[in-house]
Amino acid sequence: MLMERRPLISQTRCEPAVSGLVLDQNGQPLATQLPGERALTIYLDKREIVTLMTLGQNPEALVLGYLRNQRLIDNLRDIAELHVSWEVSAAAVSTYHRDAGERCDELRRRRTVTSGCGQGTQFADAMARLQPLPDEGFTVARSTVFALVDRVHQLDTVYKRCGAVHGCVLADGAEILHHVEDIDHHNAVDSISGLMWMKGETGHGNILYTTGRLTSEMVIKAVEMGIPVLISRSGTTEMGIDVARHCGVTLIGWAKKERFLVFNGGERIDFTK
C-alpha cells in the first residue's frame, strides 16, 4: 500500500509574549508582559497572497488553515512544502503542480475585506460555494456547554497574562482537542483548521468555541471545517445568523458561567440535561 503523500512543513513557533515596562496611574514604572505581534506574508507558488498579523505560536497551521478556509488549496496532498522564515517574515508554500498561485489570481481580484480585527478576507462568493451541513442527529446537552465554557476559563492563556488577544477551541463535547490564541480570532480559527488538516480530523460532531464575535465570516469558517456548533462568549451579527440558518449551524452567544443564548439551531441543544 502506498503511503499518503505529506508535505514538508517547517516548525517555527515563536514565544507569544514579550516583557515590557509601562507607567502606572501614579507615574511609577511597572513590569508587564505584552503579546508579540509579527507580520507573516504568505507566498503561494511564488505569488504574494496576503500578510497576516500573528502571535506566531502556530504559523504553519495558520498558513494551512488560511489556504484551506479560503479554498485556495483543496487538498493537503497537493502541497509539496511549507516553509516559514521569521528572518524575512514570510511563509513560502509550493505545490506539486506549481500553478496554485496562478489559479488563485482571479479569486484574489474578487476579494472582500470583512469585519475581522485584522481585516480578514473572503475570496470570491463565499456564500455561493457553501453547502448546508448534513443532519447527523448530533445534539449537545446544556450541561456540556456549561462544562466546556468552564474548562476554557481554566486554561492557562496568553490573554490572562497579556490581554489583547483572542482564542479558539475545538472540542469534542467538553473535552478540548485544540486551543489556539492569536492577534484576532480569525487567525486562531484558521490555525485550528490547519491543525485539523494536518491530523486528518473532521469537524463532524465537534464544537468550536471562540472569544470573538460571531460574524458571517466566522460562521463560514465553521462550515468550511464541517463543525455544526459554534459558541462565543460574545454576540453575533444579523448576517452571522443568516449564514447559520442557511448552512444549519447551531449558533450560541454570550456563553458565560451557566448562561448562554441560542441564536440558531436550538434543535441541537438538549435543555433537559
Side-chain angles (χ1 to χ4, degrees), residues 50 66 70 111-114 119-123 217 221:
V50 70
Y66 182 87
Q70 299 291 349
R111 181 173 58 185
T112 300
V113 177
T114 67
Q119 287 197 331
T121 57
Q122 283 291 320
F123 288 97
E217 185 179 11
K221 289 179 185 292

Side-chain angles (χ1 to χ4, degrees), residues 50-188:
V50 70
T51 297
L52 303 175
M53 305 307 297
T54 176
L55 288 178
Q57 285 197 103
N58 300 273
E60 290 83 9
L62 170 60
V63 171
L64 288 176
Y66 182 87
L67 296 175
R68 178 192 185 192
N69 284 342
Q70 299 291 349
R71 292 200 183 182
L72 298 180
I73 294 181
D74 294 324
N75 202 305
L76 186 64
R77 64 172 174 265
D78 293 334
I79 299 174
E81 185 174 0
L82 190 170
H83 181 74
V84 172
S85 170
W86 290 115
E87 291 184 0
V88 293
S89 299
V93 182
S94 59
T95 65
Y96 282 101
H97 297 292
R98 306 286 179 175
D99 62 350
E102 180 179 348
R103 288 188 287 108
C104 78
D105 281 349
E106 175 60 26
L107 296 177
R108 293 176 68 235
R109 283 191 288 270
R110 291 185 282 155
R111 181 173 58 185
T112 300
V113 177
T114 67
S115 59
C117 302
Q119 287 197 331
T121 57
Q122 283 291 320
F123 288 97
D125 187 353
M127 283 300 297
R129 74 193 185 200
L130 290 180
Q131 297 295 323
L133 295 177
D135 183 4
E136 299 177 329
F138 174 63
T139 61
V140 179
R142 182 182 65 168
S143 59
T144 298
V145 177
F146 292 157
L148 175 58
V149 171
D150 183 61
R151 288 189 179 182
V152 171
H153 288 171
Q154 292 180 34
L155 290 172
D156 180 18
T157 62
V158 177
Y159 178 80
K160 288 179 180 177
R161 286 179 279 153
C162 307
V165 300
H166 278 290
C168 286
V169 160
L170 180 72
D172 179 5
E175 179 187 355
I176 295 175
L177 304 177
H178 299 297
H179 170 237
V180 175
E181 292 176 282
D182 213 318
I183 297 300
D184 68 76
H185 54 295
H186 297 284
N187 282 359

Side-chain angles (χ1 to χ4, degrees), residues 18-22 30-34 161-162:
V18 298
S19 298
L21 189 66
V22 297
L30 179 68
T32 189
Q33 286 192 309
L34 303 169
R161 286 179 279 153
C162 307

Side-chain angles (χ1 to χ4, degrees), residues 229-256:
V229 178
L230 184 55
I231 302 176
S232 173
R233 72 178 183 192
S234 185
T236 185
T237 65
E238 180 181 18
M239 189 171 289
I241 295 174
D242 288 344
V243 177
R245 287 172 177 165
H246 174 76
C247 296
V249 175
T250 294
L251 213 59
I252 300 174
W254 302 115
K256 299 181 180 180

